[in-house]
């Protein structure tokens, strides 16, 4: 019997050695084969490859935090953070989802192939027959794919007028209107202060002075690559001056006709053209929509309800530049419901003779839950976005008083009772703000209970600045767990232990209480 078993084992060994061995996949980067001390492997049908070796071959700097078991790779403006065992790495703070988590094999971090290959904008191809992984760090066209980058929209305080500067990545600049004639030097100074070298697209929404008045100065000060306006001419001196300067610029000068402009990941769509509105110059306004990813902006000029009624296509937008300075002639409730803005910007002058913004318009905006910002009350307003979240910034003319409120596109507005008083504090000894480091911009929140607390919809408020951070959907704090909400230049984004509020400074170093609210708007904790 023993001899029989030995013979069978020998036969099995012969068959085993007769079978072809499956070699580890070969990895090529830009046509060059890479070598690893730990080869790629297969996990649940997914190929895991050495993260550090490939990232460093791409030119990234890679660091390792042993305490959190987290790898961080930085290349140019892109930062990749990946924690061992996690399926939610981040790229520039944006969470990506993996089918299988990264793991450590023989002291090396192995991560899913496609994530590693595409994290810095590359492409990945897999040849099953040859077991060859081909990673192209730069597309064959020689131009990297567009990456998400911050966009800033400046609603310049020009009194009872409009002037909007859109700051796109790679020094692409758009100006929509230029205020009154007297505002020309102010607009030029503002643009120069923002480092504008030239203007890729200048839009004159319609020929009223409070929109085109400052444009002659702008055309004198900057090279303009393209001009778009309504095509509706006027006999006024300011229109003649604008027209003369536009013609002298020698650039493309066209009327609105449903054009689409694209810069990287940003798209500006013109929603008007070919309509006749008699002698109502307001209704000839160029209306356009900026698509920055998950965040959209709608710019209405002075277009009135007749124009709103005929606009077609995608009209939803998180940020709305309210038409005609908040007049009742614009912003019908039907239109506002189509746009469904979370933020409404009104460009308006203090004590203007028109009574703008009209109370009826303010009431309608409030009824749909929009947060209202006004240049007459706040000065220049800047909204920035990375394509996923956006921040409304109010700053005075010398740029020294900055207030920021971070918003997620799906976040509900904070709940307040009808009297406007703060909701009562719910005695909850379990979840508490244990510290706010005002200078370090770090808020420490701890769960002292024996159970996991779902913090979806919870929000943290900086009381002095009236600034709000919303916790991500699905975020929970484990029993005994601590989370740090960070902001400022040293903000850390390492989900789920460190949540990044914003790269701007939030907390007032001279004293700024913090309050934590649950998803029902009830005050759960406060500091000090």
């Amino acid at each position: 019997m023993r001899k029989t078993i030995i013979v069978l084992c020998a036969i099995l060994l012969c068959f085993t050695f007769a079978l072809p061995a499956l070699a580890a996949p070969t990895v090529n980067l830009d046509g060059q084969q890479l070598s690893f001390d730990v080869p790629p492997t297969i996990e649940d049908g997914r190929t895991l490859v050495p993260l550090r070796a490939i990232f460093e071959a791409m030119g990234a700097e890679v660091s390792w935090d042993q305490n959190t078991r987290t790898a961080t790779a930085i290349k140019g403006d892109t930062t990749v953070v990946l924690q061992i065992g996690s399926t939610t790495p981040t790229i520039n703070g944006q969470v990506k989802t993996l089918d299988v988590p990264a793991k450590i094999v023989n002291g090396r971090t192995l991560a899913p192939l496609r994530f590693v290959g595409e994290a810095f904008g590359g492409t990945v191809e897999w040849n099953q027959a040859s077991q060859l992984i081909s990673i192209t760090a730069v597309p064959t066209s020689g131009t990297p794919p567009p990456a998400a980058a911050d966009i800033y929209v400046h609603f310049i305080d020009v009194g009872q007028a409009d002037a909007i500067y859109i700051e796109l990545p790679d020094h692409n600049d758009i100006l929509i209107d230029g205020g009154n004639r007297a505002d020309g030097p102010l607009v030029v100074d503002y643009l120069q202060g923002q480092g504008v070298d030239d203007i890729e697209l200048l839009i004159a929404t319609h020929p009223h002075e409070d929109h085109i008045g400052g444009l002659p100065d702008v055309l004198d000060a900057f090279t303009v690559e393209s001009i778009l306006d309504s095509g509706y001419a006027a006999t006024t001196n300011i229109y003649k001056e604008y027209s003369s300067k536009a013609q002298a610029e020698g650039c493309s000068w066209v009327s609105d006709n449903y054009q689409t402009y694209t810069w990287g990941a940003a798209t500006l769509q013109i929603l008007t053209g070919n309509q006749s509105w008699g002698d109502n110059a307001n209704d000839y306004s160029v209306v356009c929509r900026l698509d920055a990813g998950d965040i959209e902006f709608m710019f209405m000029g002075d277009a009135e309800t007749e124009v709103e009624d005929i606009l077609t296509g995608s009209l939803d937008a998180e940020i709305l530049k309210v038409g005609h300075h908040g007049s009742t002639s614009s912003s019908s409730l039907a239109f506002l419901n189509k746009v469904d803005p979370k933020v409404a910007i009104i460009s308006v002058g203090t004590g203007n003779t028109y009574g703008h913004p009209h109370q009826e318009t303010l009431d309608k905006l409030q009824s749909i839950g929009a947060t209202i910002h006004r240049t007459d009350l706040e000065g220049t307003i800047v909204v920035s976005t990375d394509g996923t979240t956006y921040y409304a910034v109010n700053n005075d003319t010398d740029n020294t008083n900055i207030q920021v409120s971070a918003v997620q596109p799906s976040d509900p507005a904070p709940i307040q009772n009808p009297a406007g008083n703060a909701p009562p504090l719910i005695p909850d000894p379990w979840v508490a703000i244990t510290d706010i480091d005002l200078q370090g911009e770090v808020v420490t929140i701890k769960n002292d209970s024996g159970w996991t607390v779902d913090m979806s919809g919870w929000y943290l408020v900086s009381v002095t600045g009236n600034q709000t951070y919303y916790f991500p959907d699905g975020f929970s704090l484990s029993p005994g767990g601590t989370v740090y909400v960070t902001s400022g230049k040293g903000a850390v984004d390492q989900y789920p232990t460190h949540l990044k509020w914003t790269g701007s400074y939030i907390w007032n170093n001279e004293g700024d209480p913090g309050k934590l609210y649950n998803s029902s708007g009830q005050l759960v904790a406060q500091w000090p």
Side-chain angles (χ1 to χ4, degrees):
M1 180 66 179
R2 183 176 180 184
K3 180 184 290 188
T4 302
I5 294 174
I6 293 173
V7 171
L8 287 173
C9 289
I11 294 173
L12 288 173
L13 286 172
C14 289
F15 275 109
T16 300
F17 287 117
L19 292 173
L22 289 177
T26 300
V27 179
N28 283 0
L29 174 63
D30 291 335
Q32 300 296 316
Q33 182 174 340
L34 301 180
S35 60
F36 313 106
D37 52 3
V38 176
T41 185
I42 305 295
E43 182 83 14
D44 294 336
R46 292 288 185 259
T47 302
L48 302 184
V49 295
L51 179 145
R52 177 184 287 272
I54 294 178
F55 276 173
E56 288 182 343
M58 290 179 171
E61 295 183 4
V62 182
S63 60
W64 171 255
D65 187 328
Q66 181 62 37
N67 293 328
T68 61
R69 292 165 59 85
T70 299
T72 301
I74 300 175
K75 180 182 178 183
D77 295 331
T78 303
T79 300
V80 179
V81 179
L82 176 64
Q83 187 174 39
I84 297 301
S86 171
T87 56
T88 55
T90 63
I91 300 178
N92 285 345
Q94 298 186 31
V95 175
K96 306 297 180 180
T97 302
L98 306 179
D99 292 334
V100 296
K103 62 186 295 186
I104 292 180
V105 177
N106 295 333
R108 295 288 184 246
T109 299
L110 270 63
L113 161 65
R114 191 162 298 278
F115 172 77
V116 174
E118 296 178 350
F120 292 109
T123 59
V124 177
E125 294 182 2
W126 164 246
N127 189 313
Q128 177 71 31
S130 63
Q131 295 284 294
L132 175 64
I133 298 168
S134 297
I135 302 174
T136 304
V138 178
T140 54
S141 65
T143 303
D150 285 351
I151 292 172
Y152 299 85
V153 181
H154 307 243
F155 300 87
I156 305 172
D157 181 14
V158 284
Q160 185 67 19
D162 274 14
I164 303 165
Y165 164 48
I166 302 175
E167 179 183 356
L168 299 172
D170 300 323
H171 302 287
N172 291 308
D173 304 303
I174 304 171
L175 181 66
I176 303 177
D177 292 335
N180 281 296
R181 187 65 186 92
D183 297 318
L186 182 153
V187 174
V188 169
D189 287 347
Y190 188 91
L191 296 177
Q192 290 175 339
Q194 300 301 316
V196 174
D197 52 356
D198 63 0
I199 296 173
E200 275 61 38
L201 177 62
L202 186 152
I203 297 177
T205 59
H206 64 294
H208 282 164
E209 182 188 351
D210 59 327
H211 291 256
I212 65 169
L215 295 184
D217 285 342
V218 171
L219 288 162
D220 283 342
F222 300 96
T223 297
V224 176
E225 295 186 6
S226 183
I227 300 173
L228 181 143
D229 61 24
S230 66
Y232 182 75
T235 59
T236 59
N237 289 334
I238 188 57
Y239 179 79
K240 293 177 182 177
E241 185 179 6
Y242 153 74
S243 178
S244 174
K245 298 284 186 182
Q247 187 171 9
E249 190 70 19
C251 64
S252 169
W253 182 15
V254 299
S255 300
D256 60 333
N257 192 22
Y258 306 101
Q259 294 94 333
T260 298
Y261 298 86
T262 301
W263 294 271
T267 299
L268 183 75
Q269 184 177 7
I270 308 301
L271 302 179
T272 50
N274 293 329
Q275 284 86 27
S276 177
W277 301 102
D279 59 358
N280 185 353
N282 286 337
D283 279 344
Y284 285 93
S285 289
V286 176
V287 175
C288 52
R289 180 176 181 265
L290 177 67
D291 187 335
D294 292 335
I295 306 299
E296 290 82 26
F297 296 74
M298 180 76 80
F299 305 98
M300 295 302 298
D302 278 359
E304 300 182 350
T305 55
E306 291 81 4
V307 177
E308 297 171 355
D309 290 342
I310 68 164
L311 295 177
T312 59
S314 297
L315 302 180
D316 59 296
E318 281 71 29
I319 295 91
L320 169 68
K321 201 294 292 186
V322 176
H324 201 184
H325 317 288
S327 170
T328 54
S329 64
S330 304
S331 303
S332 70
L333 190 56
F335 173 71
L336 294 178
N337 283 327
K338 291 179 183 178
V339 178
D340 190 24
K342 303 300 180 289
V343 174
I345 310 290
I346 303 177
S347 185
V348 65
T350 303
N352 67 86
T353 58
Y354 304 99
H356 294 163
H358 292 148
Q359 187 60 48
E360 180 181 335
T361 301
L362 297 176
D363 290 343
K364 284 187 285 188
L365 291 169
Q366 290 171 345
S367 73
I368 63 168
T371 299
I372 301 171
H373 292 278
R374 297 166 47 173
T375 57
D376 62 330
L377 301 180
E378 305 172 38
T380 294
I381 299 163
V382 182
V383 179
S384 66
T385 179
D386 60 2
T388 303
T389 59
Y390 56 90
Y391 304 91
V393 181
N394 318 322
N395 59 337
D396 60 17
T397 54
D398 63 5
N399 295 324
T400 58
N401 178 26
I402 298 178
Q403 298 179 350
V404 183
S405 56
V407 187
Q408 297 278 354
S410 60
D411 287 334
I415 299 174
Q416 294 190 5
N417 62 28
N421 300 320
L425 175 66
I426 298 176
D428 187 347
W430 308 118
V431 179
I433 302 174
T434 60
D435 183 61
I436 297 181
D437 181 353
L438 298 178
Q439 292 187 339
E441 297 272 326
V442 178
V443 181
T444 305
I445 299 173
K446 186 174 183 182
N447 175 18
D448 283 326
S449 74
W451 53 86
T452 298
V453 176
D454 182 2
M455 297 182 69
S456 300
W458 288 42
Y459 51 97
L460 174 68
V461 176
S462 157
V463 175
T464 300
N466 191 27
Q467 303 162 59
T468 304
Y469 169 78
Y470 291 90
F471 287 83
D473 287 340
F475 176 78
S476 60
L477 196 55
S478 59
T482 298
V483 63
Y484 304 94
V485 180
T486 67
S487 52
K489 298 302 182 184
V492 177
D493 189 1
Q494 292 184 354
Y495 187 94
T497 58
H498 293 74
L499 304 178
K500 181 179 178 180
W501 183 334
T502 172
S504 300
Y505 292 106
I506 293 293
W507 300 95
N508 188 326
N509 291 347
E510 296 180 0
D512 194 348
K515 293 187 177 183
L516 179 66
Y517 296 84
N518 64 19
S519 58
S520 298
Q522 298 167 314
L523 182 60
V524 172
Q526 54 191 359
W527 177 274

